[in-house]
Amino acid sequence: MNSTLPKYEVVLLGAGHTNAHVLRMWRMSPLPDARLTVVSNYSVATYSGMLPGTLAGLYPPERMQIDLVRLCAAARARLIRSPVVGLDHQRLELLFHDRPALPFDVLSIGIGSVPNQAGLEAGAAVLPIKPMQTFLARLDERLDCLVRCKPRDALRLVVVGGGAGGVEIAFCLPAHLRQKYPTQPFELALIDGHDDLLPGFPGKTVVTARRILHQRGVRLVLGRTVTGVQNDQLALDDGRLLRADLALWATSATAGELLKRMGLPTDDQGFLLTRPTLQTVADAPIFVVGDSGTCPERPTPKAGVFAVRQGPILWENIGRHLRAEPLLEYEPQSNFLSLLATGDGRALLSYKGFSFHGRWCWRLKDYIDGRFMDKYQDYTPMPMSAARQPLEPAQAMRCTGCGGKVGAAVLASVLKRLDVPASSHVLLGLDKPDDAAILQPPGGRPIVATVDFFASFLDDPYLVGRIAAINSLSDVFALGATPLAALTMATVPVGRPRQQEQLLYELLHGGLEELRRAGATLIGGHTIEGPAVTIGFTLLADAGREKPTLKSGLRPGDRLVLTKPLGSGILLAAQMQARCRAAWMDPLIEVLLQSNQRPAALAHEFEVDAITDVTGFGLAGHLLEMLRAGDVAAELDLSRIPLLDGVAELLAEGIESTLAPANRSVENEIDNRRWNETRMPGPASDGQPRLAPLAAAYQALFDPQTSGGLLLGVAERRLEALLARLAGERIAASPIGRVLAAVGPEPRLTLV
């Protein structure tokens, strides 16, 4: 985060064409004294112009996707992935169901529209094309089910809607079916309430579209609307029933439920009313763009070409609003080029009454769409200006989270130099360090005490607060203690009181949420100003168990079990460079938010011999701590080490946490002769870097883990029962090695 908090908060709700333009421009030239936050239900945005071509197999799915995780990281903008439930336009806050409200100084609403289903439920037979981010996955899931149930019967598919979107789906769906299910027969129909296809298009374009569909055997049912769905039949307004195993809903646009809950003036269809400046007609600093808005003075069809043209006007007007300057007015274009993919390497072109169909039309469409997407798929971070750079260049890219720890060797050297006085009240302390200390107050029950904190690694303080609490609680759970209370430590950057209050509130709201789930409460703490956001907790817990399970209890023959995959440090390092993909970040966040409370409880129920949590010193460092404390050795099976998605790819690119080199200082205690078999790159015929299969697992041993899993030492006879219980509670535990008797000066850890 910045060394000082911003003066203005600019929020984009939705990442459609118009808002995405603002995000792209922010990456190149952010507005001064302002922070940009993107709020979206999804971590990718889909370019609708490429959806038909992708459906036909002419593009890979990732070509039509804007990776919001990477683009926001490159733009140094926040990304909040959470559904919005409403808007308080008096307090200027976006409202969420499960997280604190988000204040803004300027808001742009661009969440698009939804197909008009006229009150029909989207049951098993109805598949709306929106949200487009999930359309292909939802389509294939339904088709897979139908093909399994009807392997020999012809699938009866219907496209409902004869506008540009529906016609393109009807053009391209057959190619998708032939590629994915080459032996599966199917029938395709298209229904629309108008008397002809493509309302508003030139007659020649309509005639050509009808001819193409007729040649492909698509049945047209025009002048009819769907009034109901009865199992596998669509009821039409003339009383007929049309068989349909699956109806793809691509009807005209209507306002989604969220727009209706905004409390802003709307038109008869529920779209938000705007002025020509794209601002809401209400007296609020809120812009409404794309399909979400309607300007009565300058109405336009709900089409993406208008949303694209609104982008530069929105970008200019956001800056003008913050500078208190007059706003520009958006002038819709009177004519625009329309290119419809026909799914066969050709396209149907329409412009100013002219119409053509051919391969050159597809090449033109491919060029225009490709150039558009190239702008948004450039995730190269722009250099930070001197005014925005919080730290010296050598420090600016240091890892945060648990990757920001001081190295274990440095810490050990310091502790050796200290003369720590002994105390009769300390039952477990620095003489035999474990995950937490245990104190015996005079005349009281034993108390577990531990502290953990780190610099923020995400620009979402609510999530960081939750993860910080989960990370701190993990030490308590490892000892089998019951958390009672916590003290917090937080650093917030200099800024206006309103911004500081909001930041601290989100941090503590997230932390308190996890403390409450664990049965603990917040009893105090300390907050200071500083250059970077930090958050952590001191936990106090009831020791409970007469004999706690320590990291020193490993016995020869025990099996080693890991409860979370490795690689969070690598992924978070990649995120700092805008190189962590949305497909990797989403599973990472899920893992970071998984509490160790339940796996620790099961571990103690099955009387494991030793337990620790894997955090900043990496799996190798924490395992060697256990081996030294118990005076045992171990062998580790690299092939069983679970990795988070994307870790192997990023390691092959040379990305790792800044703490990893310090964590590798323990390599002298590892018999890594097999490393010679794993360090060579594998084949790279496609030009992409590769690692041999075990190389990534080896390097991940030294990766610092934020909110990492538990490492358990369990007797062989209890292993299968414990794994079964963990799996039954959806905890993906992996047996990764075995404890051995120590043999003289030989390395304590052997890779097998």
Side-chain angles (χ1 to χ4, degrees), residues 224-277:
R224 300 269 69 91
T225 60
V226 178
T227 60
V229 180
Q230 303 174 8
N231 297 324
D232 60 350
Q233 298 183 107
L234 301 180
L236 306 183
D237 58 358
D238 61 359
R240 284 186 295 164
L241 295 175
L242 182 66
R243 291 285 302 276
D245 295 310
L246 184 61
L248 307 184
W249 220 265
T251 53
S252 58
T254 190
E257 286 300 316
L258 180 56
L259 288 179
K260 301 173 185 177
R261 295 199 300 266
M262 288 293 179
L264 298 172
T266 66
D267 64 9
D268 293 340
Q269 293 181 291
F271 295 107
L272 304 183
L273 290 172
T274 72
R275 302 185 181 111
T277 57

Side-chain angles (χ1 to χ4, degrees), residues 432-516:
K432 294 182 179 180
D434 210 281
D435 291 315
I438 302 179
L439 305 176
Q440 178 77 63
R445 289 167 59 85
I447 293 292
V448 170
T450 183
V451 62
D452 217 321
F453 73 102
F454 46 56
S456 175
F457 52 89
L458 295 173
D459 212 354
D460 183 342
Y462 167 72
L463 277 185
V464 170
R466 288 184 62 190
I467 295 167
I470 291 170
N471 191 72
S472 299
L473 285 161
S474 185
D475 289 334
V476 172
F477 298 144
L479 280 182
T482 302
L484 301 174
L487 298 163
T488 188
M489 301 158 292
T491 307
V492 298
V494 175
R496 292 190 299 175
R498 178 193 174 198
Q499 270 76 16
Q500 287 187 322
E501 177 186 336
Q502 181 64 26
L503 171 59
L504 186 58
Y505 172 69
E506 291 186 35
L507 282 170
L508 297 185
H509 187 287
L512 185 57
E513 185 174 312
E514 296 300 334
L515 291 173
R516 185 182 295 113

Side-chain angles (χ1 to χ4, degrees), residues 11-12 22 46 79 130-131 142 175 233 272 361 394 496 521 553 734 744:
V11 176
L12 306 178
V22 172
T46 299
L79 174 63
K130 293 185 178 180
R142 298 282 184 92
Q233 298 183 107
L272 304 183
C361 300
R496 292 190 299 175
T521 190
S734 305

Side-chain angles (χ1 to χ4, degrees), residues 7-57:
K7 184 177 179 181
Y8 302 111
E9 299 284 354
V10 179
V11 176
L12 306 178
L13 175 56
H17 301 329
T18 318
N19 282 351
H21 178 82
V22 172
L23 177 57
R24 185 173 73 87
M25 296 304 294
W26 198 283
R27 169 180 163 269
M28 294 185 286
S29 181
L31 297 178
D33 298 322
R35 172 169 56 190
L36 181 66
T37 300
V38 179
V39 180
S40 173
N41 289 358
Y42 302 96
S43 53
V44 297
T46 299
Y47 175 44
S48 58
M50 280 185 163
L51 177 62
T54 304
L55 178 64

Side-chain angles (χ1 to χ4, degrees), residues 279-319:
Q279 271 191 306
T280 173
V281 298
D283 187 18
I286 299 172
F287 295 90
V288 187
V289 295
D291 286 1
S292 300
T294 295
C295 179
E297 300 171 47
R298 297 170 188 176
T300 59
K302 302 299 181 184
V305 292
F306 297 103
V308 171
R309 295 288 182 92
Q310 288 178 351
I313 301 297
L314 174 64
W315 171 243
E316 178 68 20
N317 279 351
I318 289 175

Side-chain angles (χ1 to χ4, degrees), residues 415 420 426-438 479 548-553 625 628-630:
L415 292 177
V420 179
V426 178
L427 305 184
L428 182 65
L430 290 176
D431 55 335
K432 294 182 179 180
D434 210 281
D435 291 315
I438 302 179
L479 280 182
T549 305
L550 306 178
K551 65 173 61 175
S552 59
E625 284 182 343
R628 296 186 207 108

Side-chain angles (χ1 to χ4, degrees), residues 49-344:
M50 280 185 163
L51 177 62
T54 304
L55 178 64
L58 301 173
Y59 298 116
E62 56 270 19
R63 184 56 173 148
M64 69 171 183
Q65 295 175 341
I66 301 171
D67 190 318
L68 295 179
V69 171
R70 297 190 66 191
L71 187 55
C72 286
R76 297 185 175 88
R78 292 198 298 177
L79 174 63
I80 293 179
R81 253 203 64 195
S82 184
V84 168
V85 298
L87 167 69
D88 186 333
H89 52 88
Q90 301 297 325
R91 297 172 57 89
L92 300 184
E93 292 181 339
L94 273 182
L95 306 178
F96 300 87
H97 172 66
D98 58 355
R99 59 178 293 142
L102 178 66
F104 61 83
D105 295 289
V106 181
L107 171 67
S108 174
I109 300 173
I111 56 176
S113 58
V114 297
N116 187 356
Q117 293 182 223
L120 298 177
E121 295 294 330
V126 176
L127 185 72
I129 65 169
K130 293 185 178 180
M132 289 188 181
Q133 290 93 332
T134 63
F135 172 66
L136 293 178
R138 289 183 290 118
L139 173 63
D140 285 344
E141 182 181 359
R142 298 282 184 92
L143 290 175
D144 287 344
C145 181
L146 289 171
V147 169
R148 286 196 302 269
C149 297
K150 300 182 177 184
R152 297 181 180 84
D153 298 339
L155 300 182
R156 295 178 173 86
L157 308 175
V158 178
V159 176
V160 181
V167 168
E168 278 195 291
I169 294 294
F171 281 155
C172 298
L173 181 59
H176 182 77
L177 292 167
R178 285 193 295 269
Q179 292 171 21
K180 190 169 177 62
Y181 313 102
T183 63
Q184 179 69 43
F186 64 90
E187 300 172 2
L188 181 59
L190 187 150
I191 302 174
D192 192 80
H194 295 89
D195 292 332
D196 217 332
L197 300 174
L198 299 172
F201 279 72
K204 185 178 179 182
T205 302
V206 175
V207 170
T208 304
R210 290 180 64 116
R211 175 175 53 80
I212 295 170
L213 293 172
H214 176 73
Q215 291 172 347
R216 298 182 184 180
V218 179
R219 176 188 174 190
L220 299 181
V221 182
L222 301 175
R224 300 269 69 91
T225 60
V226 178
T227 60
V229 180
Q230 303 174 8
N231 297 324
D232 60 350
Q233 298 183 107
L234 301 180
L236 306 183
D237 58 358
D238 61 359
R240 284 186 295 164
L241 295 175
L242 182 66
R243 291 285 302 276
D245 295 310
L246 184 61
L248 307 184
W249 220 265
T251 53
S252 58
T254 190
E257 286 300 316
L258 180 56
L259 288 179
K260 301 173 185 177
R261 295 199 300 266
M262 288 293 179
L264 298 172
T266 66
D267 64 9
D268 293 340
Q269 293 181 291
F271 295 107
L272 304 183
L273 290 172
T274 72
R275 302 185 181 111
T277 57
L278 303 178
Q279 271 191 306
T280 173
V281 298
D283 187 18
I286 299 172
F287 295 90
V288 187
V289 295
D291 286 1
S292 300
T294 295
C295 179
E297 300 171 47
R298 297 170 188 176
T300 59
K302 302 299 181 184
V305 292
F306 297 103
V308 171
R309 295 288 182 92
Q310 288 178 351
I313 301 297
L314 174 64
W315 171 243
E316 178 68 20
N317 279 351
I318 289 175
R320 285 172 172 256
H321 175 82
L322 296 180
R323 297 189 298 269
E325 297 174 359
L327 303 184
L328 301 181
E329 293 188 355
Y330 164 63
E331 291 280 356
Q333 62 269 40
S334 56
N335 292 291
F336 59 88
L337 175 68
S338 177
L339 287 158
L340 306 180
T342 53
D344 56 355

